[in-house]
Amino acid sequence: MERFVFLLSNGLARGAVLALFALSLVIVWRAARVVNFAQAAMAVVAVYAAFALTAASGSYWIGLLGGLLTGALLGAAVERGLMRRLPNRTPLPGMICAIGLVMVLQAGLAIAFGPQHRPMRPPFSESPIVIGGVPVLSPYNLFVLATAAAVMGALALLFAKTSLGLRLRAAAFAPETSRLLGVRVPRMATIGWTLSLATASLAALLLVPVELGLNPHSVDLLFVNAFAVAVVGGLDSPIGALTAGLGIGVLVSLVTGYVSAAAAPLAVLALLTAVLLLRPGGLFAAKEARTA
Amino acid sequence: MHTPTGTTVVAALTAAALLGLVACSTPGEDDTPGVTDDTVTIGTHQPLTGPAAAGYSTISAATAAYFAYVNDNGGIHGRDIEYIVKDDAYDPANTQTAVRQLVTEDRVFAIVNGLGTPTHASVLDYLDEQEVPDLFVSSGSLTWNQPGVYPNTFAFNADYVTEGAALAQYAIEQRPDATICVLGQDDDYGEGVLEGVEAVVGGNEIAEIQTYSTANEDLTAQIGAMMEAGCEVNILATINGFTAMAVGTAAALDWFPQWYVSSSGGDYPTLAGYLGEDTAPLLLQGMVSVNYLPFSPDDDWVELFHRINEEYNDGAPFTGNTVFGMSVGYLFAEALAAAGEDPTRESLVAAIESGDLLGNGIVPLSYGEDDHAAYRGVGITTVDDGVQDYVGTTYSVAAGQVTTVEAEPVPLEHEGIPQPPQ
Amino acid sequence: MRLTLRAAAITLAAIAATFGLDPFRNYQLATAAGVFAAVAGLTVLIGLTGQLSLGHAVLMAAGGYGYAAAATATADVAPLPVALLAGLIGAALTAGILGLLLGLAAARLHGPYLAGLTLALVIALPSAANVLPLGGEQGRSAPLLPVPEALSSLIAIEQWHAWLAIVISAAAVTPLVALRSGRHGLRMRAVLDDETAARLSGVNPGPVKTGAFVAGAIPAGLGGAALAVATQQVAPGGYGIAFSLLLVVAAVLGGLGSIGGAAIGSVLVVALPWLIDTAAEAVPADLGRRLDGNLAVLLFGAVVIAVTLARPEGIAGLLTGLRRPKTAPSEPAPTPPGEAPPSNDSKPSTNTER
């Protein structure tokens, strides 16, 4: 039982970051109907910016802010400079361009900063609080969970309650009609990319301090796992990203703890297959998603 | 149907044009490949890009720096050593291409220090068939020591089984009643070390065996299980990044067991890079590891390597990889010097098999006609106040039996430039 | 049949070309041939049915393992040509069965969901190699096929393996070309265009999509076998995400749905990194060791972006566009990929006219 609680809380902390990154994929999917394969490489650029700023200023928070800003700007720049120039009839040219971008960014970072891992300190302690003799979440884990929850909430409000949210959704689902109704569709895509990359950068910034350290490939696996999460949850569904993120985080932790590390990717594959066979559009598939 | 096939013709021609029309394909025979009057060209495959670059890309840089130093001091038999480093990103498919290019196109004299078990295993048969000397493989797998099957392949690292056995032996000597556990990578590295530990303490005496995969940068579940099992001595078959993570994760859980780490994951300067210079001395205090190369801060070899690193390697951070890379370079230079005025592939292999090479390790090299392993023993190191050094205990391992021996460091001569044998 | 003759002619031309190449380039040609078979399968799958598979590397690996197992088992009891044949059957079967399983799932899935599933499959390959009897990360070895006696004074082993790889990939791709231009190809296009309409005209989309997946998987498996012939082994490390995505890059850069495009794309992804690397070696070493390897990756990425920006529909369109009439013969309604459809919402001007 103690072991279970321990693994569960570790899984939740990991899952929160996973959910946040998956959410960033959901945002860009909703705004532009693409899965951005360069999400990880772009986010890691933002983390390098945060790392440099923290090193220069000595403040974690200045670094965090600078990282988010870098991510957001990079998102806007890639949308305006690259993605917009490609035909959007099929998602493939955009995907290939993104793969090319991954190579350019990661090799560029390795040339500029070297391939070694650079340690990043979390702003709060990583020592878990012990409840009833069982170590559960650390202050840093709580910070991650709270940040993830706050961002989720804010984005949910944005999409559901604001006119910007409505325009974003409309532009993605029915670009033609939206344009007729006066929505500036291209601008909506830019905003979507900006929001998405800021969110992805935040997730990466939260993850790197608990992993090996900062390296051009630090976020690669987060992207791959988050893609699985977004698919399980349903690419249109923020709540799906949250649920599936926490779920897969816990699954990986439990399987690693009770079975073996090698079994974890197989368990994720099995879950993904099972969910998609039962619900081809993910757990929280919207009806519209089926026509996409 | 017309179009696609038509395009295919164009494509086939493009292919031929792109690949270039160079020479013909017939096998030919001539002088020793890679050796001219004033150069000897050798090659290697290393991960310079991709995730594995973080841990290993500094090795070949150190080797290249050592060769530059040798070349500036007249080379070996008046020949400069040209060292071609090919990137394989730790992907066996890339290794295959890189090594074939080195052998057929760059016509290297030998492959030296190819890095990684799955990567190098993928070219083992090819190199054997081409009869290319395959020297000082950078991996502790036992695969490289099969003189009957691979007569031209030689290991360099002390093998993983030897390291596991030595660590376990030191553990039971220091703390006879301690609960021993193992955390290993889920490949031949983890398996080899575990085999060595089992040979010494017995399979049933290991309280907890955990594995990890490099594809998941999280050891919380594993460390939690080991903590719960009441482990007191943790023997790690981890690469440096995961050693740091294991120590860090345990510290976060307020758990401070004894760490016994294999040489591939127990390099203090590298670990300090992960953990931070400020906390590393605290977290790594008392960490036990093994080594077989010169590592004492006041050692002559280390002092020389420091100088070469400053002068020829842009003063890159000085780590275990630096010593490893330069030691490999030294051993190759020594073998080349012993291979004669006009070296051939046969004389190079014979020079190594003669058993006369000294290398620069703290235990004697064990090369011989029937033995292609390099180091069959290791010395124990510990960390004290942020300084890693030998404690004076040295083991030799044969057939699962660990015996205590005296270290026999090789004195530095001729400024580290190997001289032809008299 | 004309197709067979053409295929034979191209195969012979490719084999003749091997005489102009040195051993290393013949090895590259063998690799390119293996990759070509896989990319051809992938390009038909994506281009004709719109099913985006990111897991074709796993299908190649499955073929490689199937080849290695069958060929090794047969080599002990039968002559090598028989072992080769058994290996190829093993490769086609393994990849075909895995393709069928994937295809059954894929028939229910749309674009990114299938992409997500197949990507998870690639991630799981190293684990599967550990858990299943596949030899872990060192993989399985396949028998070395030496040059036959009669030819041994004439050609090197790399050239012989290039011949075998070329013949294997020709045998894998030719049926695909026939399929693509026949009734099945028509059905696939109908499903891609409008599933409901296809259903109304008596085409059941499910089996068509599953069939397409199997048809795209078998050449990939044979491509994996060709690589195993050239390298005598198959290991999970060689079939990772990077390689799997590279297959998609090859298919799209070449031009989706086009077999010739697949050939161009495969040669590009095999030869270009090497060409760039060779060119990058001219950069003086004192510019810093960090450039080693990384510069080549950076430039390759830049080329991929530039080509996509310049030719989003693929390079094959350059060649076919010059000659192909607006509607290809025997291909009525559907718009083949590679040609811009009339409606495009990226241009504001067309929209104001509505």
Side-chain angles (χ1 to χ4, degrees):
Chain A
M1 187 59 203
E2 282 182 12
R3 180 128 188 235
F4 180 77
V5 173
F6 174 74
L7 293 173
L8 184 73
S9 51
N10 178 50
L12 283 176
R14 290 292 167 142
V17 178
L18 212 48
L20 203 55
F21 202 89
L23 180 69
S24 80
L25 294 175
V26 168
I27 297 170
V28 75
W29 172 256
R30 285 174 70 131
R33 300 274 111 182
V34 295
V35 174
N36 177 23
F37 275 76
Q39 198 90 344
M42 290 164 73
V44 92
V45 172
V47 184
Y48 269 98
F51 179 81
L53 278 171
T54 301
S57 68
S59 158
Y60 174 85
W61 306 104
I62 291 179
L64 183 72
L65 210 66
L68 292 183
L69 214 61
T70 310
L73 287 174
L74 194 59
V78 166
E79 198 279 327
R80 293 247 157 164
L82 275 181
M83 297 304 163
R84 181 169 295 186
R85 293 167 200 276
L86 294 166
N88 55 5
R89 192 170 42 84
T90 89
L92 283 162
M95 184 185 141
I96 301 307
C97 230
I99 293 171
L101 191 61
V102 171
M103 297 184 204
V104 170
L105 291 179
Q106 287 184 338
L109 286 173
I111 291 171
F113 297 96
Q116 73 273 31
H117 287 98
R118 291 165 183 271
M120 282 186 86
R121 298 259 165 276
F124 300 103
S125 159
E126 282 187 84
S127 291
I129 300 157
V130 179
I131 300 175
V134 185
V136 281
L137 297 166
S138 70
Y140 183 67
N141 286 340
L142 290 174
F143 167 66
V144 169
L145 282 169
T147 312
V151 173
M152 294 267 175
L155 288 170
L157 276 182
L158 173 80
F159 275 110
K161 303 282 182 195
T162 66
S163 100
L164 175 64
L166 189 64
R167 277 180 287 155
L168 278 170
R169 278 166 57 175
F173 281 106
E176 311 274 316
T177 323
S178 311
R179 200 174 272 121
L180 284 175
L181 293 171
V183 176
R184 298 169 75 172
V185 174
R187 173 173 293 186
M188 291 304 119
T190 312
I191 293 175
W193 273 80
T194 311
L195 275 178
S196 167
L197 261 302
T199 313
S201 306
L202 179 63
L205 280 161
L206 292 174
L207 176 78
V208 171
V210 300
E211 297 217 321
L212 292 184
L214 179 57
N215 157 283
H217 297 273
S218 295
V219 194
D220 290 8
L221 288 160
L222 180 63
F223 166 75
V224 174
N225 290 325
F227 189 17
V229 164
V231 164
V232 166
L235 271 165
D236 275 297
S237 166
I239 188 75
L242 179 67
T243 320
L246 295 178
I248 288 190
V250 169
L251 176 76
V252 168
S253 177
L254 290 179
V255 171
T256 308
Y258 285 115
V259 191
S260 79
L266 295 174
V268 172
L269 178 65
L271 176 79
L272 191 60
T273 314
V275 167
L276 289 183
L277 285 180
L278 296 172
R279 293 186 64 88
L283 287 174
F284 293 83
K287 275 278 172 278
E288 295 88 344
R290 301 202 154 212
T291 60
Chain B
M1 189 174 120
H2 295 228
T3 337
T5 39
T7 322
T8 314
V9 177
V10 179
L13 293 176
T14 322
L18 250 178
L19 292 170
L21 296 157
V22 183
C24 87
S25 202
T26 329
E29 202 52 56
D30 59 349
D31 313 334
T32 301
V35 178
T36 68
D37 286 345
D38 43 18
T39 59
V40 170
T41 305
I42 55 175
T44 189
H45 60 89
Q46 302 281 330
L48 303 180
T49 65
Y56 304 112
S57 63
T58 49
I59 294 178
S60 51
T63 313
Y66 172 79
F67 287 146
Y69 168 75
V70 170
N71 295 347
D72 273 5
N73 286 281
I76 305 292
H77 292 300
R79 291 187 185 87
D80 278 358
I81 300 172
E82 308 263 331
Y83 187 51
I84 305 179
V85 183
K86 291 270 181 218
D87 175 32
D88 66 7
Y90 211 78
D91 173 339
N94 293 342
T95 312
Q96 304 245 11
T97 310
V99 167
R100 278 174 164 82
Q101 189 173 3
L102 287 169
V103 170
T104 61
E105 205 153 81
D106 301 315
R107 300 186 45 78
V108 293
F109 182 46
I111 298 289
V112 176
N113 203 227
L115 188 143
T117 307
T119 43
H120 197 75
S122 76
V123 291
L124 201 53
D125 287 312
Y126 173 76
L127 289 174
D128 176 48
E129 185 196 305
Q130 301 287 321
E131 296 175 357
V132 179
D134 175 20
L135 311 184
F136 319 141
V137 181
S138 184
S139 140
S141 168
L142 291 168
T143 319
W144 326 127
N145 180 21
Q146 300 183 67
V149 190
Y150 303 110
N152 297 319
T153 296
F154 295 84
F156 183 78
N157 300 33
D159 66 84
Y160 301 136
V161 182
T162 294
E163 292 202 356
L167 286 168
Q169 180 70 29
Y170 191 66
I172 56 174
E173 281 173 18
Q174 295 294 307
R175 303 184 55 181
D177 304 320
T179 311
I180 294 179
C181 302
V182 176
L183 169 65
Q185 194 159 301
D186 61 349
D187 56 17
D188 69 308
Y189 175 30
E191 284 159 18
V193 170
L194 180 63
E195 191 187 324
V197 177
E198 279 175 343
V200 172
V201 305
N204 300 328
E205 299 299 313
I206 304 174
E208 183 75 36
I209 298 168
Q210 287 284 322
T211 59
Y212 73 94
S213 140
T214 50
N216 187 0
E217 295 183 9
D218 180 14
L219 293 177
T220 316
Q222 289 91 334
I223 295 296
M226 295 169 83
M227 191 176 163
E228 211 173 288
C231 304
E232 291 166 313
V233 170
N234 289 335
I235 299 180
L236 303 188
T238 47
I239 52 176
N240 284 305
F242 282 87
T243 307
M245 178 174 271
V247 173
T249 306
L253 291 166
D254 216 14
W255 186 42
F256 300 95
Q258 275 262 290
W259 302 103
Y260 280 55
V261 191
S262 146
S263 70
S264 306
D267 180 45
Y268 181 81
T270 308
L271 293 173
Y274 282 101
L275 294 165
E277 296 295 341
D278 44 345
T279 46
L282 300 171
L283 289 176
L284 300 175
Q285 177 66 27
M287 181 186 83
V288 174
S289 185
V290 289
N291 206 337
Y292 41 89
L293 297 174
F295 204 74
S296 304
D298 55 354
D299 188 281
D300 289 345
W301 287 99
V302 173
E303 195 262 332
L304 170 73
F305 290 165
H306 263 292
R307 269 196 287 133
I308 297 175
N309 190 52
E310 285 306 317
E311 203 168 329
Y312 296 94
N313 201 17
D314 302 332
F318 193 89
T319 67
N321 277 357
T322 318
V323 173
F324 183 92
M326 292 196 187
S327 300
V328 164
Y330 176 78
L331 185 57
F332 174 74
E334 194 189 355
L336 188 62
E341 201 63 49
D342 290 301
T344 62
R345 285 173 165 175
E346 292 73 26
S347 75
L348 182 68
V349 168
I352 303 170
E353 283 190 338
S354 72
D356 294 338
L357 298 188
L358 296 175
N360 66 345
I362 62 148
V363 288
L365 285 164
S366 63
Y367 293 132
E369 274 184 31
D370 305 324
D371 192 350
H372 285 191
Y375 293 105
R376 292 197 169 274
V378 289
I380 298 289
T381 68
T382 58
V383 175
D384 187 29
D385 260 344
V387 178
Q388 191 171 32
D389 200 356
Y390 286 108
V391 294
T393 310
T394 310
Y395 295 118
S396 163
V397 181
Q401 287 294 312
V402 184
T403 41
T404 308
V405 294
E406 279 298 309
E408 297 173 43
V410 182
L412 176 69
E413 284 175 348
H414 306 291
E415 293 292 299
I417 312 280
Q419 305 295 312
Q422 265 78 54
Chain C
M1 196 179 143
R2 269 184 78 185
L3 171 63
T4 325
L5 283 177
R6 267 175 187 279
I10 294 167
T11 309
L12 281 178
I15 285 178
T18 62
F19 281 101
L21 303 175
D22 65 18
F24 176 62
R25 287 183 182 79
N26 268 322
Y27 171 75
Q28 283 185 304
L29 186 62
T31 315
V35 171
F36 166 55
V39 174
L42 187 60
T43 204
V44 166
L45 181 65
I46 304 177
L48 266 64
T49 66
Q51 302 185 91
L52 177 54
S53 161
L54 302 183
H56 252 55
V58 174
L59 292 167
M60 283 185 91
Y65 280 115
Y67 170 82
T72 310
T74 326
D76 292 339
V77 294
L80 282 176
V82 180
L84 172 67
L85 204 64
L88 292 179
I89 294 170
L93 274 178
T94 337
I97 291 170
L98 185 60
L100 177 67
L101 292 176
L102 268 178
L104 286 172
R108 292 165 51 83
L109 300 178
H110 286 276
Y113 293 93
L114 178 57
L117 179 66
T118 44
L119 193 65
L121 189 68
V122 182
I123 300 301
L125 177 66
S127 292
N130 262 339
V131 175
L132 302 173
L134 297 176
E137 64 166 358
Q138 294 190 49
R140 288 251 166 258
S141 58
L144 171 74
L145 303 172
V147 187
E149 282 292 323
L151 292 170
S152 57
S153 61
L154 205 60
I155 62 176
I157 185 102
E158 286 87 356
Q159 189 172 1
W160 171 240
H161 288 164
W163 288 19
L164 291 177
I166 289 166
V167 172
I168 293 170
S169 83
V173 175
T174 310
L176 202 62
V177 178
L179 180 91
R180 180 180 170 280
S181 41
R183 289 170 52 84
H184 290 285
L186 200 60
R187 291 209 182 104
M188 290 181 202
R189 282 157 215 258
V191 171
L192 172 66
D193 246 31
D194 188 338
E195 282 198 22
T196 322
R199 209 182 284 276
L200 283 175
S201 43
V203 177
N204 188 352
V208 171
K209 287 173 132 183
T210 308
F213 222 108
V214 177
I218 292 174
L222 290 171
L227 292 189
V229 167
T231 63
Q232 293 97 52
Q233 63 123 230
V234 49
Y239 296 98
I241 310 176
F243 182 65
S244 213
L245 292 180
L246 212 55
L247 293 177
V248 183
V249 169
V252 177
L253 280 191
L256 279 179
S258 153
I259 302 290
I264 296 175
S266 321
V267 172
L268 273 186
V269 298
V270 171
L272 204 55
W274 162 75
L275 275 178
I276 292 174
D277 193 43
T278 311
E281 272 167 19
V283 175
D286 41 315
L287 275 179
R289 300 211 185 286
R290 284 168 178 176
L291 286 180
D292 288 351
N294 285 311
L295 185 63
V297 175
L298 190 145
L299 292 174
F300 182 57
V303 170
V304 168
I305 295 176
V307 172
T308 317
L309 283 174
R311 302 283 321 169
E313 309 290 354
I315 300 169
L318 264 183
L319 308 165
T320 55
L322 301 173
R323 289 173 293 154
R324 183 189 271 194
K326 261 302 167 214
T327 45
S330 84
E331 292 171 10
T335 317
E339 261 152 77
S343 88
N344 192 332
D345 58 11
S346 66
K347 293 193 188 74
S349 58
T350 44
N351 286 293
T352 42
E353 285 162 17
R354 291 184 187 180

